[in-house]
Each structure stands twice: as structure tokens, then as C-alpha cells.
Amino acid sequence: MIGKCLGAQRCRKIHRTLRRCKVTVFCFVLTVVVLRGTIGAGKFGTPEQDFVEIRDHFYFRRRAGTHRVLEEVQTTSSDNEVASDTNAETNNYNDFELNKVLVDEESDDSKLDPDKPYSLGPKISDWDKQRSEWLKENPDYPNFIGPNKPRVLLVTGSSPKPCENPVGDHYLLKSTKNKIDYCRLHGIEIFYNMALLDAEMAGFWAKLPLIRTVLLSHPDVEFLWWMDSDAMFTDMAFEIPWERYKDSNLVMHGWNERVYDQKNWIGLNTGSFLLRNGQWALDLLDAWAPMGPKGKIRDEAGKVLTRELKNRPVFEADDQSAMVYLLATQREQWGDKVYLEHAYYLHGYWGLLVDRYEVMIETYHPGLGDHRWPLVTHFVGCKPCGKLGNYPVERCLKQMDRAFNFGDNQILQIYGFTQKSLASRRVKKVRNGSRNPIEVKDVLRSLHPAFKAVKVSSS
Amino acid sequence: MGQDSFTPQKRSSTGGGLPTTNNAAAGGGRSRVLAGMPRGRQIHKTFNNIKITILCGFVTILVLRGTIGVGNLGSSEADAVNQNLIEETSRILAEIRSDSDPTDPDEPPETEINPNTTYTLGPKISDWDQQRKVWLSENPEFPNFVNGKARILLVTGSPPNPCDNAIGDHYLLKAIKNKIDYCRLHGVEIVYNMAHLDKELAGYWAKLPLIRRLMLSHPEVEWIWWMDSDAFFTDMVFEIPLSKYDKYNLVVHGYPDLMFEQKSWIALNTGSFLFRNCQWSLDLLDAWAPMGPKGSIREEAGKVLTANLKGRPAFEADDQSALIYLLLSQKEMWMDKVFLENQYYLHGYWAGLVDRYEEMMEKYHPGLGDERWPFVTHFVGCKPCGSYGDYPVERCLRSMQRAFNFADNQVLKLYGFRHRGLLGPNIKRIRNETVTPLEIVDELDIRRSTHEKTETRS
């Protein structure tokens, strides 16, 4: 048609140009598609998101509630827009992205003053006096609930956000059940923390502001027992020998030579320790905290620690290395009130213990707390809540299951059951129910040990 | 040169709706053109066609890779590691969930359930009250009343396997933290069960053998309080008025008119109830259990319940419907000792409550326990541990998070913090720190406020 208007030669030229344009356009479209497939194009999304959207659209047609939800979420950021489409109105938990929903309405308006040195809180100098007065005025809340039994608060915690690893929360749940069981048997209260009290002391340092707050808010608590979320009780019958520590304020698992002489960064472990409530504890926390604040301070401190401590790898300052450094350099000030315990496993490194559980069951019995039947099995380095730990995932999870069952077995046996094996989740009866359950005296004795007895008032 | 053959191809592909005539024309045209050309040109044309075919094939692969992915081809090192980790975790997860037992090859197979023998929870005990009294008098250091309050044991639990998705486990964790907080403030002990004590009574029926076992093992406990894993405490100050139930043995949230007049299947809720530790309770558990055993018994019982209770859908027998049916059919035997509580939310159905939290915080205060400040918010039907709930996931999870934060605010108040909003994880300070923290403790500690209440009452 065009040929008729312009002549054959011209026509051919135009045809050629058109063809070249077609190829150019084609290549351009191709580039755009490939880039979108690889990198994505912001709010225009990637082909994967298209796929998900189309699938959702065909499965769930109702979109009435979406608008209100979208409006609420839009106030935070536009990136959420695309994700909320996949979240909208689905009844299927597997399609859901929780992190897009858990956003705050109020923004963070607190500004950190970079020049002010970090402090955990206003300096208190007479905490012992304040506390003893309070205890006198409140005889219903004594700090000792038995002749040799102080009031203990076990403090542990985890992040308020879901774990990155899909099984992480399940293991946190099991670990919490394990702690509930031990603490119920031993008359210990639990505080499970899920709040970040101080953004500067995030990560492993988060325990410091928490411990200080708890000590000051619970004057009746005599000992605060910090325990990591990846530590489990494996000896349900062992009771901490409190009289041994009557002159100490801080009890940690460790060895004197390794801390004071060798300055070994794993000479002690801050995953499970006892801290007595008092002025000494507040002062220690103040001396311990300075290496903690996130950022330059923590990185620089990390370098100092790697230089000064034996075998420490290069990474930012952690609370454990900082404690070793503090004790090694200021021994005269703190050393006399610190008890480095190694007669039993207040902290037991899992690598040395988990393979021997069957041997222990055959040869020994609960109540020993040491290498024969460890009190605590601590899964250092496993990091079940995060994405990457220092050990293979399979070994960590399988062994955590075994440790949990090892501890749970002791509880179930009290009630007349046992796990079928350390790897199994099924239980079986070992003792048939009796017509007279109170005759099973041993059983009831384990459930009603002397240290749980209530003081009988002489009337 | 190659463009000549390009055009007819394109035309036939875009004009897909008009098949025969165009193709014939194009094909005819092509064959006419080809017949007239020398060999060299033919080869050239073939080459061009192949080039374009390869180019299109390449494009298709790239686009598909962008959409769906082609495994490890071309992915970077970090991706591969990540991918491996995800695969490994999924495999382990699948193994854990399937509960395959690698050991015990020589254990005898499980004995089949004989449908003719009646199921029992355990050997019949007839003198539990007497036995318990004797034990309590022999063990005065384990009284059933401590500081004037009856000893309560809170029982809850969840299945031993990981939930079908990670969100479920996360909310189970938050729920248990919530219960730990309430129980610490009120001196209640917790038992968290993760074992199937009786494989016949699995699922929602698992609480029956558990409650029985705990009653018999803890004679010092006066009340056993069962609470579902999807129920949250939302009033941290409210304490159950146990003195109101001196003459009763079972306290459950419910409505008499729904129960006796309408015979509704939701007349009461077994997600949160109290059982006194006594002979009557053992008898009730024995009368309650028969509809529970898995299999044909439970299915048949389900049909009976659907036929007799109003509004009940058709599914296997559940413990709640069975209890309603039992209390209705054997009213004279049991009802005099059952208290249907509705003055406060011993169980509070979440849908009517969660949107009003802001209003509650403005107008009311903790300690009321009723519709002004609900004691318990129970997320019935949400089923976060499974794959599918009865409600949209987003609504359920937002509501559960709001309930959690609402309750957590009451706990954090003592420490000087509260959550920034009811949805997010962050907290902010609401009170400056002082050098005399004990004045605040005196004012705000919930344990002391409830203790004073019991003292004035006695």
C-alpha cells in the first residue's frame, strides 16, 4: 500500500528501517523483561510476585477488607503495598508474612545524645539500705523462703519478632517448657523477657539493662538467675547448693586459672549465672556496661578484647569476653565476691555431653548435676532462632530434641510415663494407675521436696 | 536479508485467530519465494531462521528463570548456601513432623483398640476425698491454702510436634509468656504439657487424662485450672473470686439460658475452666470420657451430639459438646455443683473484644475482668498452629498481637515501659528512672495490690 504511494526503492528502504526498528524494539522489551525477572522493578514487582498474585486472585476472591488494611499499612512505607496484597484475606497461615503486619503506629522520637557517655541508669549508692528497709516493712515478701533457700527469679528471654529459622520458635517453646518444669519443682519464679529495653545495648548485651531493671523492681528477690534461651535443664532433681555461696555475689561456671591467669575468653560462661541483689551487683553492672553500646564503641572494644584475651576471634565486644577482661584486670575490686563454680554444670557445653545421655541413664541417676548427670546443657553456637549457627543444623536440632527429652523424661517419670526413646516424641506408661495413688510415696516425695515446703506457723 | 523470512513468521504468530487462509497465503507465498531463490540464499535464510529460533529460545529461558527459577544454574555462592540451608531445615522439619521413630524395631505393634470394652481413664477410685484429707494432715508443710488463698495449678499445653507453620509456634511462645506473667503475679503454678498421655484421647480430649493425672499427683492443689493454648490473659490484676465457689466443684464460663432452654453447643466453653480436686471431679471425668476414644466411638458420638445440640455442625465428638450433653442429660446428678459463670470473662470470645482495646485503655482500668476490661481473650477458631483457621489469618494474628501487647503493657508498667502501639514489638519509657525505685514498686506492683485485697477481705 505504501509502495503505491512512494515508489519501489523508497518502499524497500522504509521496509528495511521498519524491520530494524522491530528488532530494536524486540531487544529492548527483552532487556526490560530479563531485568524485571532478575532485579525487580520496585512497585511494579517481579514475575514471581505476579505469579503469586495471580494464584491468590484465583483462590481467594473476597477483597472487601483489604482496603482498610492497606490504608493502615500504607502509612509506614510503600514497599508494604505489594506484600499486603499477598497477605489479604487469606485463611492459609503458610502464605502469610508476619513481619509486614507487626509495625508500630508511633515512630521512634527519642534522640540519642552522642556526646553523653553511656549509663544504665541514674547512679544509686545506697541500694542495700533501701532494700533492707523495704524488706523490714514488708514481712510478707521475704527474700528467703526457707532456712537455706533464697528467693530466686530466673530471667530469660527472646526476641519479640518471629525467628528467621522456621523451627526456631518451636525450640524456644520447648526450652521454655523445660525451664517451667525445673522452676516449678524448685520453687523458682520465672521472668520471660520479650522487650528490648535499651536499643543501644542490643544483642547479647540486652541482658544488662534488663537485669538492672529487674533487680530494682523486685527487692524481695535475693538471687537473679540469668539463663540463655538456648540452655536447657537436664537434671530436674539437682538443687543449687545455696549455702556454698553465702559470701559470694556472683556465681558463674568457670575456672579461676583460666580467667585470672590465662585470660581465656571462654574461661567462664555468662549464659547461666547467679547474681545476688545488692549494691555490689549494681556497681558490677555499671562497670561491665561500657563496652556494650552498639556501634563504634562495641567494635573498638572488640579489638581490645581480641588483643588482650587468649584465643578470642575477631568480632565486636560480647558480654562474656568483657566480663573475663573486667575480672582479670580488676581482680582486687571484684574477685573476692565472685565464685567460679566447676563442681557441677551450672553451664554445660553441649558438645561434650549430648552423646553420653544413654550411658548416663544406664549408669547414674538425677541429682548429681555434674559430668555424670549435667544440671544444664547449653547449646552454645547453635543459634536455632537465627539463620546460620556455628554448627550443622541437623546435629544441633537433633541434639536439642534429645536434651529436651532427657530432661522431660524425669518429669514424666514422676507422673508415671517415660519417653519411648530420646529421639521419639511418644510416651508410654511405666507405672499403671493405682487405686490408691497416695501409696506411691516416692513419687509424691519428688513432687513435694523439702525445699518447696511452706513455713508452718506455730499456733 | 534474513528479514524477509522474519515477517511472515511474525504475521502468522500474531494472527493466530485467523488460521487457514492467512497461513495458506503466507505458506504459499513462502514456497513461491523459496522456489525462485538460488541455493546460497536458501542456506542463508535457513541460518537466519535458526538464529531467530535460538534467540527466542534463549529469551524464553531467561524469562522463565526470572519467574520460576531453574535451580542452581548460575546462582551465586551465597544463594546456594542459603538454598541448602533452607532445604536442610525443611527436610528436618518434615522428619520431625512425621514423627518417624528410627529406633525400636523390635517393639511389639500397638494393640488394637477393642471397641467392645468401655474406655476408662484409669482404675476407679472411690475415696479420693478421704485419701486427700489424710495426706494433707500428714503433710502440713504442703497445705491446700496458702496465705488465705486456695492453691491453684494452671494446666495448658500444645502438641509435641512443630506447628504446621512457624507463626503458630511463635504465638504459642507468646501465649506461654503471657501465662507465665499472670501466674507469677498471682502465685499460680503452671504445668505445660507436650506429651500425648493417652493415644486414644488425642486432640482436644487430651486434657482429660492429663487433669486426672495431675489431680492425683498433686493432692495439695485445690483447683486445677485448664486453659487452652490460644487463650491470653488480658487483665493482669483481676483475680478469680474463689470464695464465690465454695459450694461448687466445676466453674466454667457459660450461659444458663443457652444451655437449658436452647441446648446450644456453645452454651459453655471448655477453653478455660476450673476443677476442684475432689472425688466429684474424678467421677465427672469418668462420665465425660466415654465419647472421646478415637475412631468409630468418637465419630458415632459426634452424630449423637449434632442431633441433640442446637447449631452444632457435623464433625467428630469434641469435649465441649460432650460436656454440655452430659450436663443436660444427667442434670440432677451434676448441675448442683456446676457454676456457669458469666459475670466476668473467664473465657472471652475474641471477636467482640480486640477492637475495643484502645477504648478500654482510655475509659477503664485493669481489675474489672468483664466486658470493660476482659480477664481472658480466647482466640477460638484462629488455630494458628494449623494450616487453616476459620477466620482470615491477618485478622487473627493482628488481634492476637494486640491482645498480647495489651496484656504486656500491664506487666511492663512496673518497669517503666509500655509498647509503642498495640501491634509492634518496640517499647518506650513512660517514667524516668529515679534513685529511689522502691516508691514506685510500692505503688505499682500488682502482687501487692491483690494481696491487700485478700487481707481486707479476710
Side-chain angles (χ1 to χ4, degrees):
Chain A
M1 183 184 76
I2 304 173
K4 276 190 216 142
C5 312
L6 298 169
Q9 195 81 335
R10 269 275 191 79
C11 168
R12 237 179 278 136
K13 263 202 196 143
I14 290 170
H15 267 285
R16 223 175 284 144
T17 322
L18 270 177
R19 273 182 222 131
R20 284 204 195 105
C21 285
K22 263 190 257 181
V23 175
T24 317
V25 166
F26 179 64
C27 290
F28 178 67
V29 166
L30 170 65
T31 317
V32 168
V33 164
V34 169
L35 278 179
R36 186 165 176 270
T38 332
I39 305 172
K43 68 179 174 71
F44 295 111
T46 62
E48 245 178 275
Q49 284 171 354
D50 283 349
F51 179 62
V52 174
E53 265 178 52
I54 293 172
R55 190 186 65 192
D56 280 343
H57 182 71
F58 281 131
Y59 284 1
F60 307 106
R61 291 177 183 271
R62 285 177 305 132
R63 283 179 169 269
T66 316
H67 288 293
R68 180 179 63 83
V69 168
L70 274 181
E71 273 159 25
E72 279 181 57
V73 175
Q74 248 166 18
T75 52
T76 51
S77 101
S78 57
D79 284 335
N80 288 345
E81 236 179 77
V82 179
S84 61
D85 275 333
T86 54
N87 281 351
E89 294 299 328
T90 165
N91 279 33
N92 187 340
Y93 282 95
N94 288 311
D95 291 342
F96 199 74
E97 287 184 54
L98 189 62
N99 282 321
K100 301 282 189 278
V101 164
L102 300 187
V103 280
D104 283 315
E105 294 92 35
E106 298 172 26
S107 59
D108 191 346
D109 47 5
S110 61
K111 293 273 178 279
L112 296 167
D113 186 351
D115 294 328
K116 229 166 56 158
Y118 179 79
S119 91
L120 285 171
K123 178 112 186 93
I124 301 180
S125 324
D126 61 343
W127 177 237
D128 285 334
K129 186 157 140 301
Q130 287 190 43
R131 195 172 162 245
S132 59
E133 270 173 24
W134 188 92
L135 286 169
K136 247 192 293 208
E137 286 166 18
N138 293 276
D140 290 327
Y141 297 95
N143 55 335
F144 274 79
I145 56 178
N148 262 329
K149 177 101 172 120
R151 193 189 292 268
V152 182
L153 181 69
L154 186 107
V155 181
T156 183
S158 61
S159 163
K161 303 196 183 123
C163 287
E164 280 179 31
N165 187 339
V167 272
D169 281 305
H170 179 70
Y171 285 93
L172 282 176
L173 184 68
K174 283 172 102 154
S175 171
T176 307
K177 169 196 156 57
N178 172 277
K179 294 179 174 84
I180 291 176
D181 284 332
Y182 181 89
C183 292
R184 184 180 67 252
L185 254 52
H186 292 263
I188 297 177
E189 296 187 326
I190 303 180
F191 183 81
Y192 195 98
N193 180 53
M194 268 176 142
L196 181 62
L197 268 57
D198 190 334
E200 267 191 283
M201 303 282 265
F204 16 63
W205 290 93
K207 60 176 79 122
L208 267 70
L210 174 65
I211 292 176
R212 183 181 203 265
T213 308
V214 169
L215 288 176
L216 295 179
S217 311
H218 292 270
D220 54 331
V221 164
E222 182 64 19
F223 267 105
L224 187 149
W225 186 349
W226 167 267
M227 202 156 159
D228 275 356
S229 58
D230 55 0
M232 293 213 214
F233 283 105
T234 33
D235 189 341
M236 292 296 176
F238 183 83
E239 170 78 359
I240 302 254
W242 301 107
E243 331 70 66
R244 200 184 295 181
Y245 311 128
K246 61 178 169 20
D247 294 322
S248 309
N249 291 338
L250 174 60
V251 182
M252 291 181 287
H253 185 270
W255 297 265
N256 279 332
E257 328 73 63
R258 290 194 205 178
V259 170
Y260 297 118
D261 302 332
Q262 297 173 24
K263 290 203 190 141
N264 192 331
W265 80 297
I266 47 171
L268 52 78
N269 188 284
T270 51
S272 171
F273 63 87
L274 303 160
L275 183 63
R276 191 188 292 275
N277 196 349
Q279 183 63 46
W280 189 95
L282 297 179
D283 296 336
L284 179 77
L285 290 169
D286 282 335
W288 193 7
M291 285 191 168
K294 227 166 42 170
K296 206 158 70 95
I297 302 180
R298 208 187 279 191
D299 293 328
E300 292 298 314
K303 295 188 186 132
V304 170
L305 292 171
T306 306
R307 198 179 58 230
E308 297 288 323
L309 301 178
K310 181 177 165 193
N311 291 341
R312 185 183 193 270
V314 178
F315 66 111
E316 56 179 16
D318 65 306
D319 60 306
Q320 183 173 301
S321 314
M323 173 58 82
V324 174
Y325 184 70
L326 180 67
L327 290 183
T329 48
Q330 299 180 27
R331 187 176 187 173
E332 324 74 38
Q333 194 175 353
W334 310 104
D336 59 329
K337 290 293 185 183
V338 175
Y339 194 114
L340 290 178
E341 174 69 78
H342 46 263
Y344 62 90
Y345 279 129
L346 180 58
H347 138 87
Y349 171 57
W350 67 286
L352 305 171
L353 300 168
V354 289
D355 296 312
R356 295 180 27 234
Y357 285 146
E358 281 83 2
V359 171
M360 293 175 193
I361 294 176
E362 260 175 72
T363 333
Y364 302 114
H365 58 85
L368 303 168
D370 51 21
H371 62 281
R372 296 168 296 174
W373 201 285
L375 171 65
V376 170
T377 302
H378 185 189
F379 288 86
V380 212
C382 271
K383 302 187 192 142
C385 193
K387 265 216 150 99
L388 286 170
N390 304 336
Y391 300 96
V393 168
E394 176 141 21
R395 178 157 161 81
C396 269
L397 297 185
K398 282 221 152 89
Q399 297 307 328
M400 285 176 85
D401 268 331
R402 279 163 53 82
F404 172 81
N405 284 349
F406 185 73
D408 200 32
N409 235 351
Q410 298 164 48
I411 302 287
L412 289 172
Q413 273 172 3
I414 293 176
Y415 294 113
F417 295 89
T418 186
Q419 299 274 0
K420 286 192 171 172
S421 77
L422 285 185
S424 157
R425 241 171 237 104
R426 301 208 192 96
V427 299
K428 64 179 181 194
K429 273 195 192 133
V430 279
R431 196 178 62 243
N432 284 324
S434 139
R435 235 179 217 102
N436 194 342
I438 295 197
E439 276 176 2
V440 194
K441 284 210 159 44
D442 292 332
V443 163
L444 290 177
R445 195 150 294 130
S446 337
L447 287 173
H448 305 92
F451 41 73
K452 272 197 85 176
V454 166
K455 263 190 273 213
V456 182
S457 57
S458 50
S459 49
Chain B
M1 251 317 182
Q3 323 291 1
D4 286 333
S5 56
F6 189 67
T7 329
Q9 275 186 331
K10 274 218 91 176
R11 213 189 301 137
S12 58
S13 63
T14 51
L18 312 161
T20 44
T21 40
N22 263 359
N23 273 347
R30 235 189 291 136
S31 59
R32 256 189 282 123
V33 169
L34 275 174
M37 275 193 215
R39 262 290 188 69
R41 274 243 184 115
Q42 270 182 359
I43 294 172
H44 211 68
K45 274 208 169 53
T46 322
F47 258 135
N48 284 332
N49 284 347
I50 293 173
K51 248 196 284 182
I52 287 165
T53 316
I54 294 175
L55 182 71
C56 290
F58 188 56
V59 168
T60 317
I61 292 175
L62 278 179
V63 170
L64 277 178
R65 183 168 174 271
T67 328
I68 303 170
V70 198
N72 283 339
L73 286 174
S75 54
S76 70
E77 180 68 35
D79 270 351
V81 169
N82 220 10
Q83 191 66 17
N84 279 339
L85 201 68
I86 293 171
E87 277 166 14
E88 208 183 330
T89 314
S90 314
R91 186 178 56 78
I92 295 172
L93 207 57
E95 211 181 285
I96 293 173
R97 285 198 189 123
S98 72
D99 198 28
S100 55
D101 256 335
T103 53
D104 299 345
D106 37 38
E107 194 177 291
E110 312 274 357
T111 50
E112 291 297 312
I113 304 165
N114 186 350
N116 288 333
T117 60
T118 334
Y119 173 79
T120 58
L121 285 170
K124 179 108 186 97
I125 299 177
S126 325
D127 60 343
W128 178 238
D129 288 336
Q130 176 69 10
Q131 287 189 38
R132 197 172 158 241
K133 212 160 138 190
V134 166
W135 188 92
L136 284 170
S137 59
E138 286 172 7
N139 292 272
E141 65 276 15
F142 292 98
N144 55 336
F145 277 77
V146 179
N147 286 336
K149 279 189 343 188
R151 215 191 270 264
I152 305 180
L153 180 66
L154 185 102
V155 184
T156 183
S158 60
N161 295 330
C163 289
D164 289 346
N165 67 87
I167 297 178
D169 281 310
H170 184 69
Y171 278 94
L172 282 176
L173 185 68
K174 286 190 150 133
I176 189 60
K177 169 197 155 59
N178 171 276
K179 293 179 176 88
I180 291 175
D181 284 333
Y182 181 87
C183 293
R184 184 184 63 252
L185 293 169
H186 294 267
V188 173
E189 291 192 324
I190 305 180
V191 168
Y192 193 94
N193 179 54
M194 268 177 135
H196 286 141
L197 296 185
D198 189 330
K199 61 175 174 5
E200 283 189 50
L201 289 193
Y204 16 63
W205 288 94
K207 59 180 79 128
L208 267 69
L210 178 62
I211 291 175
R212 183 181 200 267
R213 185 58 66 133
L214 287 172
M215 274 204 262
L216 299 177
S217 309
H218 288 277
E220 79 283 8
V221 165
E222 184 64 22
W223 290 96
I224 299 247
W225 183 355
W226 167 266
M227 203 160 157
D228 274 357
S229 59
D230 55 0
F232 284 75
F233 283 104
T234 32
D235 190 336
M236 289 294 175
V237 175
F238 184 84
E239 204 158 86
I240 296 195
L242 286 174
S243 48
K244 203 171 156 189
Y245 313 122
D246 278 342
K247 299 202 180 57
Y248 299 92
N249 293 337
L250 170 61
V251 182
V252 58
H253 187 272
Y255 300 93
D257 53 329
L258 274 182
M259 176 103 167
F260 299 110
E261 282 155 46
Q262 296 189 40
K263 301 199 190 339
S264 162
W265 80 296
I266 46 169
L268 53 78
N269 189 286
T270 52
S272 172
F273 60 87
L274 289 110
F275 248 118
R276 193 187 289 274
N277 191 355
C278 59
Q279 182 62 46
W280 184 96
S281 302
L282 293 177
D283 296 336
L284 182 68
L285 286 171
D286 282 335
W288 192 359
M291 284 192 168
K294 228 164 43 172
S296 59
I297 302 179
R298 209 187 279 189
E299 302 285 333
E300 291 305 311
K303 295 184 187 140
V304 171
L305 293 172
T306 307
N308 282 298
L309 299 177
K310 176 178 168 200
R312 187 181 195 270
F315 66 110
E316 57 177 18
D318 64 308
D319 61 306
Q320 183 173 300
S321 315
L323 182 65
I324 297 176
Y325 183 71
L326 176 69
L327 293 179
L328 283 175
S329 48
Q330 298 179 21
K331 191 170 160 179
E332 320 70 37
M333 201 180 344
W334 308 106
M335 275 319 291
D336 61 327
K337 292 288 187 186
V338 176
F339 194 105
L340 289 177
E341 178 62 80
N342 46 53
Q343 296 297 309
Y344 60 89
Y345 278 131
L346 180 58
H347 138 85
Y349 175 54
W350 64 283
L353 298 170
V354 289
D355 296 316
R356 293 180 28 232
Y357 286 147
E358 282 87 356
E359 182 199 322
M360 293 174 191
M361 288 196 287
E362 244 178 89
K363 288 202 224 159
Y364 305 114
H365 57 88
L368 303 167
D370 51 24
E371 71 280 352
R372 295 170 295 171
W373 199 285
F375 181 37
V376 169
T377 304
H378 185 190
F379 289 88
V380 208
C382 272
K383 303 182 200 156
C385 198
S387 291
Y388 286 89
D390 301 338
Y391 301 92
V393 164
E394 170 134 30
R395 182 146 172 250
C396 269
L397 295 183
R398 286 175 89 100
S399 308
M400 289 172 82
Q401 186 61 41
R402 280 165 58 82
F404 175 81
N405 280 11
F406 182 71
D408 203 29
N409 275 344
Q410 299 166 50
V411 175
L412 290 175
K413 194 170 167 192
L414 172 64
Y415 308 110
F417 291 90
R418 76 168 176 87
H419 285 264
R420 280 186 194 280
L422 286 186
L423 268 186
N426 299 318
I427 58 172
K428 70 175 189 192
R429 198 168 264 292
I430 51 170
R431 199 178 60 234
N432 284 329
E433 294 185 273
T434 77
V435 293
T436 49
L438 292 175
E439 297 162 353
I440 318 249
V441 167
D442 282 341
E443 199 189 304
L444 291 179
D445 193 354
I446 295 178
R447 289 180 308 165
R448 312 191 62 230
S449 63
T450 52
H451 186 74
E452 274 154 21
K453 251 191 258 164
T454 49
E455 276 191 345
T456 50
R457 227 186 287 142
S458 58

